[in-house]
Amino acid sequence: MDSADVRDDLDHVLYTEAQIMARLREIGAQIDADYAGRELLLVGVLNGAVMVMSDLARAMRSHMQMDWMAVSSYGAATKSSGVVRILKDLSCDIRGRDVLIVEDIVDTGLTLNYLLDNLRGREPASVEIMAMFRKPDALRVDVPVKYLGFDIPPEFVVGYGLDYAQRYRNLRDVATLAPHVYN
Ligand code: PRP
């Protein structure tokens, strides 16, 4: 889906597909250099991270493996607790592995804060975070993002895996949503 296909639903494009891909090539090269000689396990957080996982993995030139987790907050009222429910756990044992969590967005940081803690408990050799987008103004906990695509303003953004009511994940660009869509 292109921005033109849903022009009336969007306010403005923040990052185009080309800008996202260019940034991912830089991050992929940095990861290749940082983990030279080690085979990284990329852990994607469903559903939003599907697009960035796919493109980041292909931007890398070294061997890698991938696995997935699905998590969900315990409802709006308790989201502030930072406790998330694991809907789908990893298929592999990460003990002794170099792990890189791959996320589409860090908003409050609560999801990644929990995941980082959870995965560290499984005794990997290392665990780091790659996030395509981050909203610095929305952060409630400090999350150590090693590889970041872009910081964005605290607006309602969709595309490149980010949804509104499960839609717009397949939008190639990342754009702010027009208020009439969510009002
Ligand atoms: C989004 C995103 C992160 C999380 C970030 O997932 O993919 O996992 O929210 O928010 P936080 O920093 O405030 O914890 P969401 O729960 O919307 O599910 P999705 O990936 O299926 O869209």
Side-chain angles (χ1 to χ4, degrees), residues 142-173:
D142 190 31
V143 174
V145 178
K146 183 168 184 185
Y147 305 101
L148 176 70
F150 303 105
D151 275 327
I152 57 174
E155 297 170 334
F156 219 125
V157 293
V158 293
Y160 201 66
L162 301 169
D163 73 302
Y164 172 68
Q166 301 302 328
R167 289 177 140 190
Y168 307 98
R169 291 192 199 274
N170 60 330
L171 175 62
R172 292 174 176 276
D173 304 326

PDB file of all heavy atoms in Angstrom, residues 142-173:
ATOM      1  N   ASP A 142      13.586   4.027  30.949  1.00  0.00           N
ATOM      2  CA  ASP A 142      14.756   4.174  30.099  1.00  0.00           C
ATOM      3  C   ASP A 142      15.109   2.808  29.508  1.00  0.00           C
ATOM      4  O   ASP A 142      15.444   1.880  30.236  1.00  0.00           O
ATOM      5  CB  ASP A 142      15.914   4.731  30.928  1.00  0.00           C
ATOM      6  CG  ASP A 142      17.076   5.133  30.057  1.00  0.00           C
ATOM      7  OD1 ASP A 142      16.833   5.537  28.907  1.00  0.00           O
ATOM      8  OD2 ASP A 142      18.224   5.025  30.515  1.00  0.00           O
ATOM      9  N   VAL A 143      14.990   2.708  28.187  1.00  0.00           N
ATOM     10  CA  VAL A 143      15.290   1.446  27.518  1.00  0.00           C
ATOM     11  C   VAL A 143      16.549   1.634  26.671  1.00  0.00           C
ATOM     12  O   VAL A 143      16.615   2.557  25.861  1.00  0.00           O
ATOM     13  CB  VAL A 143      14.106   1.020  26.616  1.00  0.00           C
ATOM     14  CG1 VAL A 143      14.470  -0.213  25.812  1.00  0.00           C
ATOM     15  CG2 VAL A 143      12.875   0.739  27.454  1.00  0.00           C
ATOM     16  N   PRO A 144      17.558   0.779  26.869  1.00  0.00           N
ATOM     17  CA  PRO A 144      18.814   0.945  26.127  1.00  0.00           C
ATOM     18  C   PRO A 144      18.706   0.422  24.691  1.00  0.00           C
ATOM     19  O   PRO A 144      18.924  -0.765  24.436  1.00  0.00           O
ATOM     20  CB  PRO A 144      19.802   0.106  26.950  1.00  0.00           C
ATOM     21  CG  PRO A 144      18.956  -0.964  27.577  1.00  0.00           C
ATOM     22  CD  PRO A 144      17.596  -0.370  27.802  1.00  0.00           C
ATOM     23  N   VAL A 145      18.348   1.311  23.777  1.00  0.00           N
ATOM     24  CA  VAL A 145      18.239   0.927  22.365  1.00  0.00           C
ATOM     25  C   VAL A 145      19.622   1.067  21.719  1.00  0.00           C
ATOM     26  O   VAL A 145      20.153   2.175  21.625  1.00  0.00           O
ATOM     27  CB  VAL A 145      17.215   1.819  21.627  1.00  0.00           C
ATOM     28  CG1 VAL A 145      17.145   1.454  20.147  1.00  0.00           C
ATOM     29  CG2 VAL A 145      15.841   1.673  22.278  1.00  0.00           C
ATOM     30  N   LYS A 146      20.204  -0.054  21.302  1.00  0.00           N
ATOM     31  CA  LYS A 146      21.556   0.000  20.729  1.00  0.00           C
ATOM     32  C   LYS A 146      21.532   0.496  19.293  1.00  0.00           C
ATOM     33  O   LYS A 146      22.417   1.223  18.864  1.00  0.00           O
ATOM     34  CB  LYS A 146      22.204  -1.382  20.818  1.00  0.00           C
ATOM     35  CG  LYS A 146      23.639  -1.397  20.322  1.00  0.00           C
ATOM     36  CD  LYS A 146      24.367  -2.672  20.674  1.00  0.00           C
ATOM     37  CE  LYS A 146      25.834  -2.595  20.247  1.00  0.00           C
ATOM     38  NZ  LYS A 146      26.532  -3.859  20.471  1.00  0.00           N
ATOM     39  N   TYR A 147      20.522   0.059  18.540  1.00  0.00           N
ATOM     40  CA  TYR A 147      20.397   0.469  17.132  1.00  0.00           C
ATOM     41  C   TYR A 147      19.025   1.097  16.932  1.00  0.00           C
ATOM     42  O   TYR A 147      18.002   0.425  17.111  1.00  0.00           O
ATOM     43  CB  TYR A 147      20.551  -0.741  16.211  1.00  0.00           C
ATOM     44  CG  TYR A 147      21.827  -1.505  16.440  1.00  0.00           C
ATOM     45  CD1 TYR A 147      21.823  -2.686  17.183  1.00  0.00           C
ATOM     46  CD2 TYR A 147      23.040  -1.050  15.933  1.00  0.00           C
ATOM     47  CE1 TYR A 147      22.984  -3.395  17.414  1.00  0.00           C
ATOM     48  CE2 TYR A 147      24.219  -1.747  16.165  1.00  0.00           C
ATOM     49  CZ  TYR A 147      24.187  -2.920  16.907  1.00  0.00           C
ATOM     50  OH  TYR A 147      25.344  -3.616  17.135  1.00  0.00           O
ATOM     51  N   LEU A 148      19.017   2.373  16.552  1.00  0.00           N
ATOM     52  CA  LEU A 148      17.748   3.094  16.385  1.00  0.00           C
ATOM     53  C   LEU A 148      17.618   3.609  14.960  1.00  0.00           C
ATOM     54  O   LEU A 148      18.562   4.174  14.401  1.00  0.00           O
ATOM     55  CB  LEU A 148      17.702   4.280  17.357  1.00  0.00           C
ATOM     56  CG  LEU A 148      16.469   5.173  17.224  1.00  0.00           C
ATOM     57  CD1 LEU A 148      15.209   4.455  17.707  1.00  0.00           C
ATOM     58  CD2 LEU A 148      16.661   6.476  18.000  1.00  0.00           C
ATOM     59  N   GLY A 149      16.414   3.400  14.388  1.00  0.00           N
ATOM     60  CA  GLY A 149      16.136   3.984  13.078  1.00  0.00           C
ATOM     61  C   GLY A 149      15.976   5.481  13.200  1.00  0.00           C
ATOM     62  O   GLY A 149      16.878   6.253  12.862  1.00  0.00           O
ATOM     63  N   PHE A 150      14.838   5.912  13.748  1.00  0.00           N
ATOM     64  CA  PHE A 150      14.543   7.341  13.858  1.00  0.00           C
ATOM     65  C   PHE A 150      13.750   7.649  15.127  1.00  0.00           C
ATOM     66  O   PHE A 150      12.884   6.864  15.514  1.00  0.00           O
ATOM     67  CB  PHE A 150      13.684   7.807  12.684  1.00  0.00           C
ATOM     68  CG  PHE A 150      14.264   7.549  11.327  1.00  0.00           C
ATOM     69  CD1 PHE A 150      13.768   6.535  10.517  1.00  0.00           C
ATOM     70  CD2 PHE A 150      15.307   8.330  10.851  1.00  0.00           C
ATOM     71  CE1 PHE A 150      14.299   6.310   9.251  1.00  0.00           C
ATOM     72  CE2 PHE A 150      15.849   8.111   9.589  1.00  0.00           C
ATOM     73  CZ  PHE A 150      15.342   7.095   8.783  1.00  0.00           C
ATOM     74  N   ASP A 151      14.026   8.800  15.719  1.00  0.00           N
ATOM     75  CA  ASP A 151      13.145   9.346  16.746  1.00  0.00           C
ATOM     76  C   ASP A 151      12.005  10.080  16.046  1.00  0.00           C
ATOM     77  O   ASP A 151      12.231  10.786  15.054  1.00  0.00           O
ATOM     78  CB  ASP A 151      13.908  10.328  17.649  1.00  0.00           C
ATOM     79  CG  ASP A 151      14.631   9.614  18.784  1.00  0.00           C
ATOM     80  OD1 ASP A 151      14.116   8.584  19.263  1.00  0.00           O
ATOM     81  OD2 ASP A 151      15.711  10.086  19.187  1.00  0.00           O
ATOM     82  N   ILE A 152      10.786   9.912  16.572  1.00  0.00           N
ATOM     83  CA  ILE A 152       9.627  10.569  15.965  1.00  0.00           C
ATOM     84  C   ILE A 152       8.822  11.294  17.041  1.00  0.00           C
ATOM     85  O   ILE A 152       8.927  10.967  18.227  1.00  0.00           O
ATOM     86  CB  ILE A 152       8.715   9.556  15.219  1.00  0.00           C
ATOM     87  CG1 ILE A 152       8.239   8.443  16.172  1.00  0.00           C
ATOM     88  CG2 ILE A 152       9.438   8.963  14.018  1.00  0.00           C
ATOM     89  CD1 ILE A 152       7.223   7.498  15.537  1.00  0.00           C
ATOM     90  N   PRO A 153       7.983  12.254  16.632  1.00  0.00           N
ATOM     91  CA  PRO A 153       7.168  12.975  17.610  1.00  0.00           C
ATOM     92  C   PRO A 153       6.059  12.088  18.171  1.00  0.00           C
ATOM     93  O   PRO A 153       5.716  11.071  17.560  1.00  0.00           O
ATOM     94  CB  PRO A 153       6.588  14.150  16.804  1.00  0.00           C
ATOM     95  CG  PRO A 153       6.746  13.771  15.380  1.00  0.00           C
ATOM     96  CD  PRO A 153       7.852  12.791  15.270  1.00  0.00           C
ATOM     97  N   PRO A 154       5.491  12.484  19.325  1.00  0.00           N
ATOM     98  CA  PRO A 154       4.461  11.657  19.972  1.00  0.00           C
ATOM     99  C   PRO A 154       3.095  11.811  19.303  1.00  0.00           C
ATOM    100  O   PRO A 154       2.136  12.249  19.919  1.00  0.00           O
ATOM    101  CB  PRO A 154       4.448  12.189  21.405  1.00  0.00           C
ATOM    102  CG  PRO A 154       4.859  13.609  21.270  1.00  0.00           C
ATOM    103  CD  PRO A 154       5.822  13.670  20.116  1.00  0.00           C
ATOM    104  N   GLU A 155       3.026  11.446  18.048  1.00  0.00           N
ATOM    105  CA  GLU A 155       1.773  11.547  17.289  1.00  0.00           C
ATOM    106  C   GLU A 155       1.317  10.151  16.906  1.00  0.00           C
ATOM    107  O   GLU A 155       2.061   9.188  17.051  1.00  0.00           O
ATOM    108  CB  GLU A 155       2.004  12.385  16.024  1.00  0.00           C
ATOM    109  CG  GLU A 155       2.415  13.815  16.321  1.00  0.00           C
ATOM    110  CD  GLU A 155       2.875  14.564  15.077  1.00  0.00           C
ATOM    111  OE1 GLU A 155       3.339  13.909  14.121  1.00  0.00           O
ATOM    112  OE2 GLU A 155       2.778  15.791  15.081  1.00  0.00           O
ATOM    113  N   PHE A 156       0.088  10.066  16.397  1.00  0.00           N
ATOM    114  CA  PHE A 156      -0.437   8.779  15.969  1.00  0.00           C
ATOM    115  C   PHE A 156       0.160   8.433  14.613  1.00  0.00           C
ATOM    116  O   PHE A 156      -0.180   9.042  13.612  1.00  0.00           O
ATOM    117  CB  PHE A 156      -1.969   8.837  15.886  1.00  0.00           C
ATOM    118  CG  PHE A 156      -2.586   7.578  16.375  1.00  0.00           C
ATOM    119  CD1 PHE A 156      -3.533   7.602  17.388  1.00  0.00           C
ATOM    120  CD2 PHE A 156      -2.203   6.348  15.854  1.00  0.00           C
ATOM    121  CE1 PHE A 156      -4.087   6.437  17.870  1.00  0.00           C
ATOM    122  CE2 PHE A 156      -2.750   5.179  16.316  1.00  0.00           C
ATOM    123  CZ  PHE A 156      -3.696   5.216  17.329  1.00  0.00           C
ATOM    124  N   VAL A 157       1.083   7.485  14.597  1.00  0.00           N
ATOM    125  CA  VAL A 157       1.740   7.147  13.336  1.00  0.00           C
ATOM    126  C   VAL A 157       1.381   5.734  12.907  1.00  0.00           C
ATOM    127  O   VAL A 157       1.181   4.842  13.740  1.00  0.00           O
ATOM    128  CB  VAL A 157       3.277   7.281  13.426  1.00  0.00           C
ATOM    129  CG1 VAL A 157       3.675   8.724  13.616  1.00  0.00           C
ATOM    130  CG2 VAL A 157       3.839   6.425  14.535  1.00  0.00           C
ATOM    131  N   VAL A 158       1.300   5.560  11.608  1.00  0.00           N
ATOM    132  CA  VAL A 158       0.972   4.246  11.030  1.00  0.00           C
ATOM    133  C   VAL A 158       1.922   3.947   9.882  1.00  0.00           C
ATOM    134  O   VAL A 158       2.575   4.839   9.336  1.00  0.00           O
ATOM    135  CB  VAL A 158      -0.492   4.203  10.513  1.00  0.00           C
ATOM    136  CG1 VAL A 158      -1.484   4.308  11.658  1.00  0.00           C
ATOM    137  CG2 VAL A 158      -0.744   5.296   9.469  1.00  0.00           C
ATOM    138  N   GLY A 159       1.966   2.678   9.531  1.00  0.00           N
ATOM    139  CA  GLY A 159       2.755   2.237   8.386  1.00  0.00           C
ATOM    140  C   GLY A 159       3.988   1.467   8.803  1.00  0.00           C
ATOM    141  O   GLY A 159       4.412   1.508   9.953  1.00  0.00           O
ATOM    142  N   TYR A 160       4.538   0.725   7.863  1.00  0.00           N
ATOM    143  CA  TYR A 160       5.741  -0.072   8.093  1.00  0.00           C
ATOM    144  C   TYR A 160       5.603  -0.922   9.370  1.00  0.00           C
ATOM    145  O   TYR A 160       6.475  -0.948  10.230  1.00  0.00           O
ATOM    146  CB  TYR A 160       6.986   0.833   8.165  1.00  0.00           C
ATOM    147  CG  TYR A 160       8.241   0.048   7.879  1.00  0.00           C
ATOM    148  CD1 TYR A 160       8.462  -0.501   6.610  1.00  0.00           C
ATOM    149  CD2 TYR A 160       9.191  -0.184   8.851  1.00  0.00           C
ATOM    150  CE1 TYR A 160       9.589  -1.267   6.351  1.00  0.00           C
ATOM    151  CE2 TYR A 160      10.328  -0.939   8.596  1.00  0.00           C
ATOM    152  CZ  TYR A 160      10.509  -1.467   7.357  1.00  0.00           C
ATOM    153  OH  TYR A 160      11.622  -2.231   7.109  1.00  0.00           O
ATOM    154  N   GLY A 161       4.468  -1.580   9.495  1.00  0.00           N
ATOM    155  CA  GLY A 161       4.215  -2.458  10.644  1.00  0.00           C
ATOM    156  C   GLY A 161       3.363  -1.819  11.721  1.00  0.00           C
ATOM    157  O   GLY A 161       2.713  -2.516  12.504  1.00  0.00           O
ATOM    158  N   LEU A 162       3.354  -0.492  11.781  1.00  0.00           N
ATOM    159  CA  LEU A 162       2.570   0.208  12.815  1.00  0.00           C
ATOM    160  C   LEU A 162       1.112   0.289  12.369  1.00  0.00           C
ATOM    161  O   LEU A 162       0.831   0.710  11.241  1.00  0.00           O
ATOM    162  CB  LEU A 162       3.117   1.624  13.025  1.00  0.00           C
ATOM    163  CG  LEU A 162       4.580   1.703  13.455  1.00  0.00           C
ATOM    164  CD1 LEU A 162       5.069   3.139  13.372  1.00  0.00           C
ATOM    165  CD2 LEU A 162       4.727   1.166  14.862  1.00  0.00           C
ATOM    166  N   ASP A 163       0.213  -0.060  13.274  1.00  0.00           N
ATOM    167  CA  ASP A 163      -1.201  -0.141  12.888  1.00  0.00           C
ATOM    168  C   ASP A 163      -2.065   0.882  13.610  1.00  0.00           C
ATOM    169  O   ASP A 163      -1.690   1.437  14.643  1.00  0.00           O
ATOM    170  CB  ASP A 163      -1.748  -1.534  13.217  1.00  0.00           C
ATOM    171  CG  ASP A 163      -1.935  -1.736  14.742  1.00  0.00           C
ATOM    172  OD1 ASP A 163      -0.949  -1.607  15.478  1.00  0.00           O
ATOM    173  OD2 ASP A 163      -3.082  -1.988  15.159  1.00  0.00           O
ATOM    174  N   TYR A 164      -3.241   1.086  13.060  1.00  0.00           N
ATOM    175  CA  TYR A 164      -4.348   1.684  13.802  1.00  0.00           C
ATOM    176  C   TYR A 164      -5.510   0.720  13.600  1.00  0.00           C
ATOM    177  O   TYR A 164      -5.925   0.477  12.447  1.00  0.00           O
ATOM    178  CB  TYR A 164      -4.718   3.087  13.287  1.00  0.00           C
ATOM    179  CG  TYR A 164      -5.977   3.573  13.949  1.00  0.00           C
ATOM    180  CD1 TYR A 164      -5.988   3.869  15.303  1.00  0.00           C
ATOM    181  CD2 TYR A 164      -7.171   3.665  13.239  1.00  0.00           C
ATOM    182  CE1 TYR A 164      -7.148   4.265  15.929  1.00  0.00           C
ATOM    183  CE2 TYR A 164      -8.338   4.065  13.863  1.00  0.00           C
ATOM    184  CZ  TYR A 164      -8.322   4.359  15.208  1.00  0.00           C
ATOM    185  OH  TYR A 164      -9.484   4.733  15.847  1.00  0.00           O
ATOM    186  N   ALA A 165      -6.020   0.147  14.695  1.00  0.00           N
ATOM    187  CA  ALA A 165      -7.086  -0.859  14.629  1.00  0.00           C
ATOM    188  C   ALA A 165      -6.726  -1.963  13.636  1.00  0.00           C
ATOM    189  O   ALA A 165      -7.563  -2.400  12.841  1.00  0.00           O
ATOM    190  CB  ALA A 165      -8.425  -0.200  14.284  1.00  0.00           C
ATOM    191  N   GLN A 166      -5.486  -2.376  13.694  1.00  0.00           N
ATOM    192  CA  GLN A 166      -4.927  -3.470  12.878  1.00  0.00           C
ATOM    193  C   GLN A 166      -4.768  -3.126  11.398  1.00  0.00           C
ATOM    194  O   GLN A 166      -4.325  -3.972  10.615  1.00  0.00           O
ATOM    195  CB  GLN A 166      -5.762  -4.766  13.034  1.00  0.00           C
ATOM    196  CG  GLN A 166      -5.854  -5.286  14.460  1.00  0.00           C
ATOM    197  CD  GLN A 166      -4.482  -5.565  15.078  1.00  0.00           C
ATOM    198  OE1 GLN A 166      -3.545  -5.936  14.389  1.00  0.00           O
ATOM    199  NE2 GLN A 166      -4.368  -5.339  16.373  1.00  0.00           N
ATOM    200  N   ARG A 167      -5.079  -1.904  11.000  1.00  0.00           N
ATOM    201  CA  ARG A 167      -4.910  -1.500   9.604  1.00  0.00           C
ATOM    202  C   ARG A 167      -3.638  -0.682   9.419  1.00  0.00           C
ATOM    203  O   ARG A 167      -3.063  -0.210  10.387  1.00  0.00           O
ATOM    204  CB  ARG A 167      -6.097  -0.655   9.147  1.00  0.00           C
ATOM    205  CG  ARG A 167      -7.360  -1.459   8.981  1.00  0.00           C
ATOM    206  CD  ARG A 167      -8.467  -0.523   8.608  1.00  0.00           C
ATOM    207  NE  ARG A 167      -9.359  -1.076   7.593  1.00  0.00           N
ATOM    208  CZ  ARG A 167     -10.287  -0.378   6.966  1.00  0.00           C
ATOM    209  NH1 ARG A 167     -10.458   0.896   7.246  1.00  0.00           N
ATOM    210  NH2 ARG A 167     -11.041  -0.942   6.055  1.00  0.00           N
ATOM    211  N   TYR A 168      -3.275  -0.488   8.175  1.00  0.00           N
ATOM    212  CA  TYR A 168      -2.151   0.366   7.737  1.00  0.00           C
ATOM    213  C   TYR A 168      -0.771  -0.258   7.977  1.00  0.00           C
ATOM    214  O   TYR A 168       0.234   0.372   7.683  1.00  0.00           O
ATOM    215  CB  TYR A 168      -2.171   1.758   8.403  1.00  0.00           C
ATOM    216  CG  TYR A 168      -3.468   2.501   8.258  1.00  0.00           C
ATOM    217  CD1 TYR A 168      -4.413   2.493   9.269  1.00  0.00           C
ATOM    218  CD2 TYR A 168      -3.748   3.205   7.077  1.00  0.00           C
ATOM    219  CE1 TYR A 168      -5.611   3.174   9.139  1.00  0.00           C
ATOM    220  CE2 TYR A 168      -4.955   3.881   6.937  1.00  0.00           C
ATOM    221  CZ  TYR A 168      -5.874   3.863   7.975  1.00  0.00           C
ATOM    222  OH  TYR A 168      -7.048   4.537   7.838  1.00  0.00           O
ATOM    223  N   ARG A 169      -0.711  -1.498   8.492  1.00  0.00           N
ATOM    224  CA  ARG A 169       0.606  -2.107   8.699  1.00  0.00           C
ATOM    225  C   ARG A 169       1.344  -2.244   7.365  1.00  0.00           C
ATOM    226  O   ARG A 169       2.576  -2.221   7.321  1.00  0.00           O
ATOM    227  CB  ARG A 169       0.468  -3.499   9.324  1.00  0.00           C
ATOM    228  CG  ARG A 169      -0.015  -3.525  10.759  1.00  0.00           C
ATOM    229  CD  ARG A 169       0.189  -4.918  11.328  1.00  0.00           C
ATOM    230  NE  ARG A 169      -0.609  -5.178  12.519  1.00  0.00           N
ATOM    231  CZ  ARG A 169      -0.239  -4.862  13.754  1.00  0.00           C
ATOM    232  NH1 ARG A 169       0.910  -4.257  13.957  1.00  0.00           N
ATOM    233  NH2 ARG A 169      -1.019  -5.151  14.784  1.00  0.00           N
ATOM    234  N   ASN A 170       0.583  -2.442   6.293  1.00  0.00           N
ATOM    235  CA  ASN A 170       1.189  -2.674   4.978  1.00  0.00           C
ATOM    236  C   ASN A 170       1.447  -1.382   4.203  1.00  0.00           C
ATOM    237  O   ASN A 170       1.861  -1.430   3.044  1.00  0.00           O
ATOM    238  CB  ASN A 170       0.324  -3.620   4.149  1.00  0.00           C
ATOM    239  CG  ASN A 170      -1.078  -3.091   3.911  1.00  0.00           C
ATOM    240  OD1 ASN A 170      -1.608  -2.355   4.747  1.00  0.00           O
ATOM    241  ND2 ASN A 170      -1.687  -3.462   2.806  1.00  0.00           N
ATOM    242  N   LEU A 171       1.224  -0.250   4.833  1.00  0.00           N
ATOM    243  CA  LEU A 171       1.614   1.026   4.220  1.00  0.00           C
ATOM    244  C   LEU A 171       3.143   1.085   4.161  1.00  0.00           C
ATOM    245  O   LEU A 171       3.812   0.839   5.160  1.00  0.00           O
ATOM    246  CB  LEU A 171       1.058   2.179   5.072  1.00  0.00           C
ATOM    247  CG  LEU A 171       1.444   3.601   4.670  1.00  0.00           C
ATOM    248  CD1 LEU A 171       0.941   3.938   3.264  1.00  0.00           C
ATOM    249  CD2 LEU A 171       0.871   4.600   5.686  1.00  0.00           C
ATOM    250  N   ARG A 172       3.681   1.407   2.986  1.00  0.00           N
ATOM    251  CA  ARG A 172       5.136   1.350   2.800  1.00  0.00           C
ATOM    252  C   ARG A 172       5.865   2.474   3.541  1.00  0.00           C
ATOM    253  O   ARG A 172       6.980   2.297   4.019  1.00  0.00           O
ATOM    254  CB  ARG A 172       5.478   1.443   1.307  1.00  0.00           C
ATOM    255  CG  ARG A 172       5.034   0.226   0.522  1.00  0.00           C
ATOM    256  CD  ARG A 172       5.255   0.416  -0.968  1.00  0.00           C
ATOM    257  NE  ARG A 172       4.918  -0.783  -1.699  1.00  0.00           N
ATOM    258  CZ  ARG A 172       5.754  -1.816  -1.870  1.00  0.00           C
ATOM    259  NH1 ARG A 172       6.963  -1.778  -1.366  1.00  0.00           N
ATOM    260  NH2 ARG A 172       5.369  -2.872  -2.537  1.00  0.00           N
ATOM    261  N   ASP A 173       5.255   3.660   3.600  1.00  0.00           N
ATOM    262  CA  ASP A 173       5.847   4.797   4.303  1.00  0.00           C
ATOM    263  C   ASP A 173       5.376   4.789   5.763  1.00  0.00           C
ATOM    264  O   ASP A 173       4.508   4.007   6.136  1.00  0.00           O
ATOM    265  CB  ASP A 173       5.405   6.118   3.662  1.00  0.00           C
ATOM    266  CG  ASP A 173       5.737   6.189   2.184  1.00  0.00           C
ATOM    267  OD1 ASP A 173       6.785   5.641   1.778  1.00  0.00           O
ATOM    268  OD2 ASP A 173       4.933   6.772   1.425  1.00  0.00           O
TER     269      ASP A 173
END
